[in-house]
Amino acid sequence: MFLMFLSEVVFFGNNKSTQEPSDLENLSYKIRLFYHKKKKRFSIIYNAVVSQDTSVSTRDQLGSGLERYKDLQRYFYRRLKAIYHRFANIPDHSVVCGHHHVYFIEIDGIYRIDKRQRDLEPEQVLNLEQVSGGQEDSLINGEKKQRLTWSIQRIRLSPQEKHLAATLITNNKEEPRCLVLRLQRRISPQMDPPHIIFTLDKVYSFEWATDEDLFFTTLEDLRCSRVFHLDLACSGSRITSAYEETQPDVFVEVALSTDQQILSINCNSRTSSEVMIIDTTKPNVEPLLVQSRQQDLFYHVEHWKRQLIILANTGPGQEYQVVQAPLSEPSMVSWVTLFSPGPGTVIKDMDVVGDHCLLTARTPANELVLIVVPLIDTKKAYTVQIPSWACTIQTKKPGLADQGKVLEFLISSPVHPPVPYCLYPEDGLLLSGTENGSSEHQGNYITTRMEACSQDGTLVPVTLFHTVPVEVTRQAPLLAHVYGAYGRDLNMDFSPEKRLLLEQGWALAYCHIRGGGERGLSWHRQAREEGKHKGVEDLQACLQHLFSLGVSSPSFTALTACSAGAVPVGALCNRQPGMIQAVTLKAPFLDVLGTMDDLSLPLTLEDREEWGDPVENLKHRLAITSYCPLHNITPQHYPSMLLTAYRHDARVPLAGVLKYSEELKAAIHSHFTMNPKSDQKPVPNITLNIQPGANHLGPEDFEENLEQEALNMAFLYTELGMDPPRHRRKRKRQNSYQDPIEQK
């Protein structure tokens, strides 16, 4: 979301250094050249839009105290801008290959290059300025109107490249808009606006079954319950309902199999799943049910030679394994086990490439590997090792013209930018897109994986990034990350902000507490409902273990989390506030009890399967009451906190964040009033950063994101009592934080 620069097309050849440049390599060069020509011009336009369309000033922050960080914020803004510039050309998978064109996303829209006529300049398929049309949107009565700034979310090409569908998201709404375009051989310069044949609002997921048949889901009150079918072959086109889910706690989305033969309708709740499939050659036929819903049964489907390859949690311990069923009889009675991982190894994702099933898995040592399962002879399955520092694997969605013989993927970590790899499963050949599987950006940083013993004896994984040996990190500031909810792994994608902190001497810890999914589905089940307190205990154990190893100390330790990750953080601050000096929370979920009590909120019903039902279940109510951050605030010395919230965030309402802030400030005031001499520490700062918009994940706007990240860094340095690093050639100026990189 943060990187708004075009990345290069990754090419893998036959591993011969003398190979002539291919068509795709030449196109890659042309795209990069086109990007560099446009970069400066668009940055000027982009900055102008940002500077003129600010809708909420810092004076409208409820007396939040943001002013004390503004000088350092400006300094870190420049530092962040410089490091984003350094990593502007890291590879990603945003380029889409059609039969005849390569499509790529720019700041102002979608472009394509003809693979058959490489000398032609890229042509613009979609112009975002024409889509916006100067629209403005008033966020709150009496506030300055904010211009709608659109950005491309994802694009899908129809099978023969006749149509393109793209979802756009704006800076103040979480409901994407889908545009359907008819593609021409060469779009005429006089075609203004582009040939948009349909505009569909609130589209969440969408896939082409044929060149004329688009299936999509719509988002209503943060829930997708209906699948629609857009039929462009009919006279005048028509939209019909393809499926409607009646259970209120089920979320529906559509997906296309790798071979594009099967379109699946995935209906998932927090505790079960149900899948229906449509043969893409027969888009008007009723969907076929694979397996009816069963409590605690999760499964996902792929297609291979009229067989369904299914990833289902029917393995030992209700963990994922790979099973197979005939397309004609897909129900559970026909499932035959193809592959089960060894003890302690959990499957995280599945792809089908040619005649092979490729599994992304996590080992007992918390390292990622690839497991190749030949579908013709599953006994010959083998494991492919990847660099031990890798924390994420992002596989590429195959293009329309791909041969299906290779898996392209990127590996990265929070401090290691993505490195492209290519796996040929037929012969086990693993190639890197860079020499020695690294790049000039990787740096000499240490990745240490360890385990902390929690209160009940459970070993909790911790990933630590540092620049010096662990035993000499006592004086290093520590930033610990945590999530631990919904069975989701902690986000460990590459982040230039984290890389900057590491370069400045910080240690970065990622605490993989229960409630997340790092150690499989059981890791999540242990910390659901009445078990939620285990995540708090795990976080405490992780920090204690780091301190015992000599990593930093409480006075130089900060915690950071977003959304549901705020629950274990807030609970730990209530229980052990002396373990942490500062906390940054983004879109924080802090009122668990109040939210689960209120069925009028859009996600309460389905979230009760995660947090519990305090209305109907007394044990659930007692469990929530024991750890809920808002309802356990007590007069004591808390760490300083920066709370970033969004005015119209429907997932985490602003009212809960405001109430938490008010009660926390009142508790701190009571503590210092009752104990004026007993606590020699300064009064902690509880800082509110209330931003416009409704996007729970933060603004789509690149500059606004930089400002927020710069504020986070300014807050951390201030509250930990640290001076910002200075450039050796920089002449000191009193009360000045200008970045030497920006000076000419």
Side-chain angles (χ1 to χ4, degrees), residues 497-518:
E497 302 90 67
K498 309 305 180 189
R499 174 64 172 260
L500 180 58
L501 287 175
L502 193 68
E503 291 177 355
Q504 293 175 347
W506 287 67
L508 306 176
Y510 287 76
C511 306
H512 308 289
I513 67 174
R514 281 174 285 184
E518 285 85 350

Side-chain angles (χ1 to χ4, degrees), residues 222 457 470 555 604 643:
L222 303 180
V470 169
S555 61
T604 294
L643 308 172

Side-chain angles (χ1 to χ4, degrees), residues 46-78:
Y46 200 59
N47 288 334
V49 170
V50 172
S51 64
Q52 294 172 8
D53 292 324
T54 303
S55 61
V56 178
S57 68
T58 54
R59 292 175 299 199
D60 189 30
Q61 300 295 328
L62 306 181
S64 60
L66 290 174
E67 288 294 311
R68 70 171 65 92
Y69 308 111
K70 67 177 183 179
D71 288 340
L72 264 180
Q73 182 184 12
R74 284 194 291 264
Y75 166 79
F76 281 116
Y77 175 85
R78 289 187 285 269

Side-chain angles (χ1 to χ4, degrees), residues 362-382:
R362 194 177 294 277
T363 69
N366 201 34
E367 294 185 351
L368 290 173
V369 295
L370 289 173
I371 301 174
V372 180
V373 182
L375 294 172
I376 297 174
D377 187 358
T378 58
K379 293 181 180 179
K380 294 183 178 179
Y382 62 92

